[in-house]
């Protein structure tokens, strides 16, 4: 495992540093999550050698919004950014809210720029504010960790157990099942029920879009969207309970790469800032595809590679946060 750690850090560090060659300031879209925090840590260390700052940009709710940070939902991640800055003082945090704008403010400009629907429909206002501020600050490069969930921070206990059981590695499966329940104080009976429910939903029940789907039902039927999405899921999974084939497909998703590339390219041209993602480099994708599941789930830890291998680089308050997930554009309404 120490060899995997060394290889992971060396490859990740090179993936980040190779992107930092730009004539201008360097920014990063920084949240309180594992992916962008890890990229920020490595980038800050390299820029420190040059005597340069890393400008971080974080969307926060407007002042009037009643923030609700709970054990499951984190609506304002400012405290995590400040913890990151304390560990890496050359990070210069900028907090962006949409107090002066709303979803309709620049809707014609957005539509004419992208010309077709793009993924960040809810947080377009915040993303526009971040990129505009970075452009005003003189940034020429914007780092992000968009693809991190599929590479550096991959790892679900349900995927681990499902693959181990299919490979008849019952001892390893039971050991991780035991460690996970003990670490997170979850009853084994409850976990088994959840595991079987997930298996039914992922591998037996036919797929149907969630309640948060923005497409009209008649359009879903007209263009056969549900059947297409069901076929896609067979190949790429969703990171929750994947077969080996789905895990590989989740890590390498040409359809998603196309979409992110489309959005990043238009955004780069619009603001004069090159958008890059170290977790999406060829080296990182190949490495993560070849790392065994034991690197991503171990001793009851999900997303374990990033949590263990980045110790000492990223604050523990971020690495050890197992429950709370950042909510993008919590104040979008």
């Amino acid at each position: 495992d120490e060899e995997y750690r060394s290889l992971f850090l060396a490859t990740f560090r090179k993936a980040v540093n190779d992107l930092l060659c730009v004539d201008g300031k360097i920014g990063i879209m920084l949240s309180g999550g594992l992916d962008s925090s890890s990229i920020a840590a490595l980038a800050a260390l390299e820029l420190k050698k040059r005597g340069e700052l890393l400008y971080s940009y974080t969307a926060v709710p407007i002042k009037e919004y009643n923030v609700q940070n709970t054990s499951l939902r984190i609506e304002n991640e400012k405290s995590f950014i400040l913890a990151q800055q304390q560990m890496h003082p050359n990070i210069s945090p900028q907090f962006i809210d949409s107090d002066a704008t709303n979803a309709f403010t620049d809707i014609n400009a957005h539509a004419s720029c992208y010309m077709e629907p793009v993924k960040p429909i809810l947080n377009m206002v915040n993303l526009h504010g971040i990129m505009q501020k970075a452009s005003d600050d003189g940034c020429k490069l914007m780092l992000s960790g968009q693809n991190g969930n599929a590479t550096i921070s991959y790892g679900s206990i349900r995927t681990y157990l499902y693959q181990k059981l299919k490979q008849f590695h019952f001892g390893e499966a039971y050991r991780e099942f035991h460690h996970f329940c003990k670490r997170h104080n979850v009853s084994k009976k409850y976990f088994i029920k959840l595991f079987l429910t997930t298996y039914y939903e992922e591998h037996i029940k036919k797929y149907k879009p969630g309640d948060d789907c923005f497409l009209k039902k008649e359009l879903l039927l007209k263009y056969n969207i549900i059947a297409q999405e069901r076929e896609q899921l067979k190949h790429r999974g969703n990171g929750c309970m994947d077969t080996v084939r789905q895990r590989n497909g989740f890590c390498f998703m040409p359809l998603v790469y196309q979409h992110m590339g489309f959005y990043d390219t238009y955004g780069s041209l619009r603001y004069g800032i090159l958008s890059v993602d170290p977790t999406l480099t060829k080296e990182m994708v190949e490495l993560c595809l070849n790392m065994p599941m034991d690197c991503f789930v171990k001793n009851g830890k999900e997303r374990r590679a990033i949590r263990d291998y980045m110790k000492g680089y990223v604050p523990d308050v971020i690495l050890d946060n197992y429950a709370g997930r950042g909510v993008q554009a919590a104040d979008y309404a």
Side-chain angles (χ1 to χ4, degrees):
D1 189 66
E2 186 57 36
E3 291 178 0
Y4 275 117
R5 180 180 183 274
S6 297
L7 180 60
F8 179 90
L9 287 173
T11 308
F12 193 15
R13 189 179 292 113
K14 185 177 186 303
V16 173
N17 292 350
D18 284 353
L19 296 174
L20 302 182
C21 301
V22 64
D23 184 17
K25 296 176 181 177
I26 295 174
I28 182 170
M29 288 189 180
L30 184 59
S31 71
L34 296 170
D35 305 318
S36 62
S37 297
S38 298
I39 295 167
L42 296 180
L45 287 171
E46 178 62 21
L47 292 176
K48 182 181 178 181
K49 298 176 186 176
R50 308 182 197 173
E52 298 178 16
L53 296 176
L54 174 64
Y55 294 83
S56 71
Y57 298 88
T58 307
V60 294
I62 60 176
K63 295 179 181 64
E64 294 81 3
Y65 181 76
N66 184 23
V67 175
Q68 296 181 355
N69 284 353
T70 68
S71 59
L72 296 177
R73 291 167 53 91
I74 301 174
E75 297 184 338
N76 190 336
E77 300 176 274
K78 187 174 182 178
S79 61
F80 293 100
I81 311 305
L82 295 178
Q84 185 91 321
Q85 183 197 29
Q86 189 173 6
M87 193 171 198
H88 302 283
N90 64 320
I91 293 178
S92 177
Q94 320 292 315
F95 299 103
I96 311 298
D97 65 41
S98 55
D99 187 47
T101 59
N102 58 53
F104 300 101
T105 304
D106 295 304
I107 193 168
N108 291 328
H110 296 324
S112 63
C113 174
Y114 299 110
M115 298 184 288
E116 66 178 63
V118 290
K119 184 186 176 209
I121 182 171
L122 294 183
N123 54 4
M124 177 63 78
V125 174
N126 292 322
L127 290 174
H128 173 66
I130 285 173
M131 292 298 282
Q132 190 61 62
K133 178 68 167 67
S135 179
D136 295 341
D137 290 342
C139 289
K140 295 298 180 183
L141 187 80
M142 181 65 79
L143 298 165
S144 74
Q146 296 180 87
N147 201 55
N149 287 344
T151 52
I152 60 174
S153 66
Y154 184 80
S156 160
I157 183 65
R158 285 170 284 185
T159 289
Y160 180 93
L161 295 178
Y162 181 61
Q163 291 188 10
K164 292 295 182 180
L165 290 172
K166 288 196 70 174
Q167 296 161 0
F168 302 106
H169 295 163
F170 302 120
E172 294 177 37
Y174 180 78
R175 184 178 66 245
E176 280 306 317
F177 162 66
H178 173 75
H179 283 315
F180 181 85
C181 292
K182 185 176 180 181
R183 175 180 291 275
H184 298 286
N185 195 28
V186 176
S187 79
K188 293 182 177 179
K189 182 179 180 180
Y190 174 80
F191 181 86
I192 291 173
K193 180 181 178 181
L194 179 65
F195 182 84
L196 294 175
T197 300
T198 305
Y199 174 74
Y200 171 76
E201 291 178 347
E202 298 288 329
H203 297 284
I204 298 177
K205 189 178 75 171
K206 290 185 177 181
Y207 166 84
K208 65 178 182 178
D211 295 333
D212 61 347
C213 180
F214 287 96
L215 294 177
K216 296 178 181 178
K217 290 182 179 179
E218 56 266 30
L219 294 181
L220 290 172
L221 294 172
K222 180 179 179 180
Y223 294 105
N224 205 23
I225 297 296
I226 295 177
Q228 291 186 57
E229 180 70 2
R230 187 185 301 136
E231 189 62 27
Q232 284 287 330
L233 284 171
K234 288 182 184 177
H235 301 286
R236 61 174 169 82
N238 59 14
C240 184
M241 184 183 279
D242 297 339
T243 64
V244 173
R245 178 190 182 192
Q246 287 175 320
R247 185 270 177 279
N248 293 339
F250 188 71
C251 188
F252 184 77
M253 297 184 282
L255 191 65
V256 175
Y257 291 180
Q258 178 189 23
H259 185 84
M260 289 192 295
F262 168 86
Y263 175 75
D264 284 345
T265 299
Y266 275 76
S268 295
L269 292 169
R270 184 181 188 183
Y271 302 102
I273 303 175
L274 183 64
S275 298
V276 293
D277 180 0
T279 70
L280 198 54
T281 61
K282 178 175 181 288
E283 293 81 4
M284 287 309 298
V285 171
E286 287 184 341
L287 173 64
C288 292
L289 278 172
N290 283 284
M291 289 166 64
M293 274 302 298
D294 299 84
C295 289
F296 297 104
V297 177
K298 192 171 185 178
N299 296 326
K301 288 185 182 180
E302 295 183 296
R303 308 173 76 186
R304 174 258 172 172
I306 203 81
R307 294 188 192 278
D308 279 4
Y309 298 165
M310 292 303 295
K311 280 283 186 183
Y313 294 91
V314 176
D316 287 345
V317 68
I318 295 174
L319 296 178
D320 296 336
N321 177 26
Y322 292 93
R325 293 290 184 93
V327 179
Q328 296 186 10
D331 59 348
Y332 78 93

